Amino acid sequence: MSVNLLDFDAKALVGFCAEIGEKPFRARQLLRWIHRLGEADFAGMSDLAKGLRDKLSVTAVIEPPRLIGAHTAADGTRKWLLSVGAGNGIETVFIPETSRGTLCVSSQVGCALACTFCSTGRQGFNRNLTVAEIIGQLWWANKTLAEEFEGEPARDRAVTNVVMMGMGEPLANFENVVTALDLMLDDNAYGLSRRRVTVSTSGLVPAMDRLRERCPVALAVSLHAPNDALRDQLVPINRKYPIKELLAACNRYLQAAPRDFITFEYVMLDGVNDSMAHAHELVKLAADVPCKFNLIPFNAFPDSGYKRSSPDAVCRFRDVLMRAGLVTTVRKTRGDDIDAACGQLAGKVLDKTRRTSRALMNAAR
Ligand code: SAH
Ligand code: SF4
């Protein structure tokens, strides 16, 4: 059976080359062809000998997820829908800004953690994405953007930043996500800076410690509530890893992190977590961890049961944090006309779990 070379990081490619009797430098060449140049056909790899190309084509494939849809929003935000087989689909979003281009990458088909305000969470969980399916999102984005703007300066149109903020909980798919992160950082592949790759987690404490050891990149933590009673409701994994443990894990993470702060994400839900009292409570919590805040206006989806906080409420909330000396940004809603805004990514998830508590516990391990 053929192996998919998109599943391999540099080390695994060296191993593969050894198995087929090739020197390690071939792995570097393959990495460049596949990831830097977006080549999926061995026949196009012009500096590999014909014999090697033939050998590769019988032992291996380069198979990204199938691209089944692409949309561009009025503000330039792009969204790609990729099929990952068996009726499942995932979404990837590209957000161009003047000085950077950010790709929002999915890590799972659905999510078992069932945060109540999240469209992905509502859909249940099907499976983890493979390395090829995770890195394949960056592969497609780079390839599509490069082809479309051929000949024009790459600035503003290339992926300079990756945020693992698409569908799924990245730390619940740890090994595959870390291998994909290794490829994002590898100079022969995508060569992104560690500071420009962000993992966003709802707070899987043991996996945060493992990430610190294996591949410390920038970290965003989905906080969303200033106390356990409320967070237990919004982010059910809090019942397993409550706020105090989460903040301790953040401090441990910072010892190895490429940035000297954690970004706390806080979705603004009207009448739920957006009062002045909540803001003051948050200020007290934040005193224990070097952090910045990113307030996210809630993005609605059908039957969510929540409403977005008013712009006024968001401003007042932000002002309390800022007056306490906490750097606070309000996330601009991008791409909402193509359902590409945070928490709106739905893809196509055939739920296998019916969100049983067993699935929740498995994902949390
Ligand atoms: N599972 C990870 C990463 C994916 S979600 C996590 O939870 O951090 C990325 C961000 O979008 C998280 O902060 C999440 O809480 C937020 N989000 C989820 N649903 C949302 C919605 N409907 N509106 C706004 N933000 C949402
Ligand atoms: Fe999963 Fe993140 Fe959505 Fe929670 S917010 S259900 S962890 S994707």
Side-chain angles (χ1 to χ4, degrees):
M1 217 184 79
S2 293
V3 291
N4 185 358
L5 297 191
L6 266 191
D7 274 321
F8 291 172
D9 63 6
K11 205 165 137 226
L13 266 182
V14 170
F16 167 76
C17 285
E19 266 172 38
I20 61 165
E22 294 292 334
K23 299 242 163 62
F25 81 93
R26 295 290 181 202
R28 195 168 60 237
Q29 277 179 311
L30 278 169
L31 211 56
R32 291 186 180 189
W33 273 114
I34 299 169
H35 297 286
R36 271 207 203 161
L37 301 167
E39 183 58 78
D41 186 354
F42 297 116
M45 301 186 176
S46 50
D47 59 356
L48 302 185
K50 175 84 169 50
L52 172 55
R53 281 184 270 161
D54 291 344
K55 188 155 58 171
L56 285 168
S57 60
V58 292
T59 48
V61 291
I62 299 163
E63 203 168 82
R66 204 158 48 85
L67 185 61
I68 52 175
H71 303 274
T72 304
D75 65 7
T77 300
R78 321 271 301 240
K79 181 169 88 168
W80 294 281
L81 181 62
L82 304 170
S83 161
V84 290
N88 287 309
I90 52 163
E91 295 182 324
T92 305
V93 175
F94 177 68
I95 305 147
E97 288 172 282
T98 8
S99 55
R100 63 181 175 191
T102 304
L103 192 71
C104 181
V105 168
S106 296
S107 56
Q108 299 182 305
V109 184
C111 182
L113 298 188
C115 300
T116 50
F117 52 84
C118 171
S119 164
T120 307
R122 281 288 175 90
Q123 292 185 88
F125 174 71
N126 186 280
R127 67 171 173 84
N128 282 332
L129 294 181
T130 63
V131 176
E133 289 162 346
I134 300 169
I135 206 67
Q137 298 168 57
L138 181 51
W139 189 90
W140 268 121
N142 264 350
K143 194 177 170 71
T144 322
L145 294 167
E147 277 167 11
E148 220 167 286
F149 297 105
E150 208 181 357
E152 293 181 37
R155 213 173 62 83
D156 303 351
R157 295 187 189 105
V159 177
T160 59
N161 295 47
V162 168
V163 291
M164 298 297 303
M165 293 185 187
M167 298 169 67
E169 166 53 52
L171 295 186
N173 182 12
F174 189 84
E175 288 302 328
N176 291 350
V177 165
V178 165
T179 304
L181 293 176
D182 283 341
L183 282 167
M184 292 175 197
L185 303 179
D186 195 309
D187 281 336
N188 290 310
Y190 299 94
L192 296 178
S193 142
R194 212 172 261 290
R195 300 158 55 85
R196 288 171 169 266
V197 175
T198 301
V199 165
S200 174
T201 180
S202 55
L204 301 190
V205 165
M208 288 164 67
D209 288 327
R210 282 159 70 207
L211 186 68
R212 179 195 62 199
E213 278 156 29
R214 284 281 297 281
C215 189
V217 291
L219 189 69
V221 170
S222 291
L223 196 54
H224 306 317
N227 58 61
D228 284 325
L230 184 55
R231 195 163 190 268
D232 280 352
Q233 285 173 31
L234 300 177
V235 185
I237 196 67
N238 193 68
R239 296 172 207 160
K240 188 157 183 188
Y241 305 114
I243 292 177
K244 193 155 177 268
E245 283 180 36
L246 177 60
L247 298 187
C250 288
N251 277 322
R252 289 195 296 277
Y253 193 86
L254 283 174
Q255 291 164 12
R259 291 181 179 271
D260 53 8
F261 61 90
I262 300 283
T263 303
F264 285 129
E265 296 162 279
Y266 196 98
V267 62
M268 298 293 295
L269 303 166
D270 180 45
V272 175
N273 64 355
D274 65 347
S275 73
M276 292 299 92
H278 290 128
H280 288 292
E281 213 178 343
L282 210 48
V283 167
K284 285 209 193 99
L285 272 191
D288 293 338
V289 185
C291 63
K292 294 186 180 175
F293 274 88
N294 192 210
L295 304 180
I296 316 174
F298 170 66
N299 291 308
F301 54 90
D303 301 322
S304 74
Y306 292 108
K307 283 203 315 236
R308 179 184 287 190
S309 303
S310 70
D312 246 22
V314 176
C315 269
R316 276 185 274 127
F317 200 93
R318 184 195 57 194
D319 288 347
V320 172
L321 301 186
M322 301 259 276
R323 272 201 299 275
L326 295 165
V327 174
T328 306
T329 49
V330 177
R331 192 174 295 175
K332 257 200 290 174
T333 298
R334 298 281 309 250
D336 51 352
D337 54 333
I338 55 166
D339 284 347
C342 309
Q344 282 185 326
L345 296 189
K348 270 178 86 183
V349 181
L350 305 180
D351 183 18
K352 276 193 173 163
T353 64
R354 304 270 169 256
R355 264 183 256 120
T356 56
S357 52
R358 208 186 84 221
L360 190 65
M361 292 336 254
N362 282 345
R365 253 186 228 140

